[in-house]
Amino acid sequence: MIWNTMMGTSILSIPWGIKQAGFTSGIILILLMGILTLYCCYRVVKSRKMIPLIDTSNWEFPDVCKYYFGSFGQWSSLLFSMVSLVGAMVVYWVLMSNFLFNTGKFIYNFVHDINVTDIVPGTNGSNKVICPSAASGHPPQNRSVVFSSGNDTGFELFEKWWNKSQTVPFYLIAILLPLLNLKSPSFFAKFNVLGTVSVVYLVFLVTVKAARLGIHLEYNWFTENDFFVPEFRIQFPQLTGVLTLAFFIHNCVITLLQNNRNQENNVRDLSIAYFLVGLTYLYVGVIIFASFPSPPLSKECIEQNFLDNFPSDDIMSFVARIFLLFQMMTVYPLLGYLARVQLLRQFFGNAYPSIFHVLILNIAIVGAGVAMAIFYPNIGGIIRYSGATCGLAFVFVYPSLIYVISQHRAGQLTWPALIIHIFIILLGLANLIAQFLL
């Protein structure tokens, strides 16, 4: 359950993050961030047990923050929790627009027997890989040239009304906004298995593509050439920002573990879940990076969503987008429900004060997603900014401070423990600052 909940959209950006950090340093960072976030998550799980003389069995982590930091802890935890939820919903909207656009384009071309060849640089053959960023210098726009013996007017009209940034993000409103206004999205929780199916299929896709493309690696620590990136790059904080959200489950881990029949196994189960998540990220990221054909292309061509490196007529990528689109359309209302419960209950004491309140909140959230899909469709950037921001509080600062304060009150705080946890807090702060500098 924890693995299924933690695995999300970040997996699509892990290969790009490894490119930004360098191959060897990227692998090291995934391992280190996995261990660090696991430890901080462990501190979250244990935080309730450190409060004496109070029954904390029904407490969530924001309740623990309120106990230690008063109203500041209560409201700041709400703020950072909303950043993580809304940030995830914005990423979902950008990706759903991408997947819906490519799915519609594939179906239209197939039905009308249109042969479309992407005009961006790419490899030849049946296992084609493309480099959209080399053609435009901007996020991929799926530019293409059409070969058809008939009248192209219909295709031109389709391209006008089926545009990834100008029209498709608005089409999603008609589907998802009504779903966000439902009082209880419990129906969509039944489709949670789609997340597992999607990740398993992505692993399968990556394995097949790598087997066909082969391995293309050249090890060089600092020198960059036309086809390879160095093993260490100064942009490595971009990967740590992505990983902060990729390993983020700290604001709901207590709730998830409450369903464990044997509570004494919580730490074991949490460790196993983090191990499996880290292994999945490592496998997908390393295989995509290693098999990316350079030469003739450059590793710099790896996109923030690695599915964009496969052409629009690729069957396996089409199936992956279908899986991910349906999964995200079922998870999106659940994320909206969590955001609504946390925000409206805090302000009005009721998760559904009226349809008017709920509609205003949902329009604001949907509007943020549409705006980002139009003006800043860079999921890697959105993930790392939101991940580093919410991670500063829930991953690095609050768990460490709560542990230090509780140990100090119990008279058990040692200098090594104090230094280690101050260092963790400073790492979280540096991680956030670096996102805006690099």
Side-chain angles (χ1 to χ4, degrees):
M1 179 65 177
I2 297 176
W3 174 85
N4 192 33
T5 304
M6 206 185 312
M7 294 298 302
T9 57
S10 301
I11 192 173
L12 298 172
S13 295
I14 294 296
W16 170 79
I18 291 178
K19 176 197 74 175
Q20 298 302 96
F23 183 61
T24 302
S25 54
I27 294 174
I28 294 172
L29 284 174
I30 292 176
L31 295 173
L32 292 179
M33 285 295 292
I35 294 171
L36 179 58
T37 51
L38 169 60
Y39 173 74
C40 294
C41 199
Y42 166 77
R43 293 263 63 98
V44 171
V45 172
K46 292 294 184 181
S47 61
R48 296 186 305 174
K49 303 296 183 182
M50 297 180 179
I51 299 176
L53 307 177
I54 298 177
D55 180 16
T56 59
S57 57
N58 294 321
W59 282 25
E60 302 291 341
F61 191 57
D63 298 314
V64 178
C65 293
K66 182 180 180 180
Y67 172 83
Y68 281 100
F69 308 115
S71 59
F72 172 80
Q74 177 185 5
W75 291 103
S76 60
S77 63
L78 173 65
L79 172 64
F80 287 111
S81 183
M82 291 299 297
V83 168
S84 67
L85 289 170
V86 175
M89 294 179 75
V90 167
V91 171
Y92 270 44
W93 201 277
V94 174
L95 284 173
M96 286 188 294
S97 300
N98 181 309
F99 297 151
L100 182 60
F101 169 79
N102 283 287
T103 300
K105 185 176 180 180
F106 178 94
I107 294 173
Y108 182 90
N109 294 339
F110 180 80
V111 169
H112 293 83
D113 195 25
I114 296 176
N115 181 18
V116 178
T117 300
D118 293 282
I119 61 175
V120 296
T123 58
N124 298 318
S126 57
N127 297 311
K128 186 174 182 180
V129 177
I130 61 175
C131 184
S133 56
S136 63
H138 298 91
Q141 299 299 318
N142 287 348
R143 299 186 297 171
S144 55
V145 59
V146 182
F147 295 97
S148 174
S149 57
N151 192 340
D152 291 341
T153 304
F155 183 82
E156 292 171 355
L157 189 63
F158 170 77
E159 291 247 298
K160 176 183 178 181
W161 292 102
W162 196 257
N163 184 285
K164 185 166 69 173
S165 61
Q166 301 301 320
T167 60
V168 173
F170 292 96
Y171 297 155
L172 287 169
I173 297 176
I175 304 172
L176 294 172
L177 185 57
L179 299 180
L180 284 176
N181 295 320
L182 296 177
K183 280 194 174 183
S184 174
S186 57
F187 170 76
F188 299 102
K190 299 176 183 178
F191 295 92
N192 197 36
V193 69
L194 282 175
T196 303
V197 174
S198 301
V199 174
V200 170
Y201 182 78
L202 279 178
V203 171
F204 171 74
L205 179 150
V206 166
T207 304
V208 172
K209 292 292 185 182
R212 293 176 177 175
L213 293 169
I215 302 300
H216 304 266
L217 282 177
E218 178 179 294
Y219 296 97
N220 196 317
W221 270 97
F222 300 105
T223 305
E224 189 167 354
N225 61 37
D226 291 338
F227 300 113
F228 299 94
V229 298
E231 298 303 292
F232 172 82
R233 304 182 78 182
I234 197 65
Q235 298 97 325
F236 73 89
Q238 296 183 12
L239 176 58
T240 61
V242 170
L243 291 173
T244 306
L245 192 62
F247 286 112
F248 183 74
I249 199 174
H250 301 63
N251 63 338
C252 60
V253 66
I254 292 177
T255 303
L256 293 174
L257 290 176
Q258 280 178 343
N259 297 322
N260 256 6
R261 184 172 302 174
N262 300 314
Q263 289 293 304
E264 65 274 10
N265 295 332
N266 281 350
V267 175
R268 181 203 66 185
D269 294 344
L270 184 66
S271 301
I272 292 174
Y274 263 85
F275 172 78
L276 293 175
V277 169
L279 188 64
T280 307
Y281 288 151
L282 268 176
Y283 182 82
V284 172
V286 168
I287 293 298
I288 286 291
F289 184 93
S291 64
F292 195 85
S294 56
L297 301 179
S298 167
K299 299 288 188 186
E300 290 289 354
C301 292
I302 298 176
E303 296 293 329
Q304 296 182 14
N305 171 7
F306 74 80
L307 290 177
D308 285 334
N309 285 116
F310 301 110
S312 57
D313 59 351
D314 185 84
I315 298 291
M316 293 190 69
S317 301
F318 166 73
V319 175
R321 291 184 179 107
I322 287 287
F323 274 129
L324 289 166
L325 177 60
F326 280 104
Q327 178 217 352
M328 292 179 183
M329 290 180 71
T330 58
V331 174
Y332 189 85
L334 294 175
L335 294 175
Y337 174 76
L338 292 174
R340 180 210 312 168
V341 168
Q342 292 190 18
L343 189 64
L344 298 187
R345 184 174 289 172
Q346 196 70 39
F347 281 97
F348 302 102
N350 188 342
Y352 205 99
S354 73
I355 184 61
F356 175 76
H357 292 83
V358 173
L359 184 61
I360 292 297
L361 173 63
N362 290 334
I363 288 175
I365 294 175
V366 167
V370 172
M372 289 302 237
I374 295 173
F375 300 109
Y376 190 76
N378 303 315
I379 65 166
I382 302 170
I383 289 173
R384 68 187 182 96
Y385 289 129
S386 59
T389 301
C390 66
L392 175 64
F394 279 108
V395 179
F396 299 103
V397 175
Y398 287 156
S400 298
L401 279 182
I402 288 172
Y403 176 75
V404 168
I405 293 172
S406 63
Q407 292 296 99
H408 176 69
R409 290 178 179 177
Q412 299 175 350
L413 181 63
T414 62
W415 278 107
L418 177 63
I419 293 172
I420 289 172
H421 289 87
I422 289 177
F423 180 67
I424 291 175
I425 293 173
L426 292 177
L427 281 178
L429 184 61
N431 184 41
L432 177 61
I433 294 173
Q435 306 309 315
F436 298 93
L437 299 179
L438 298 172

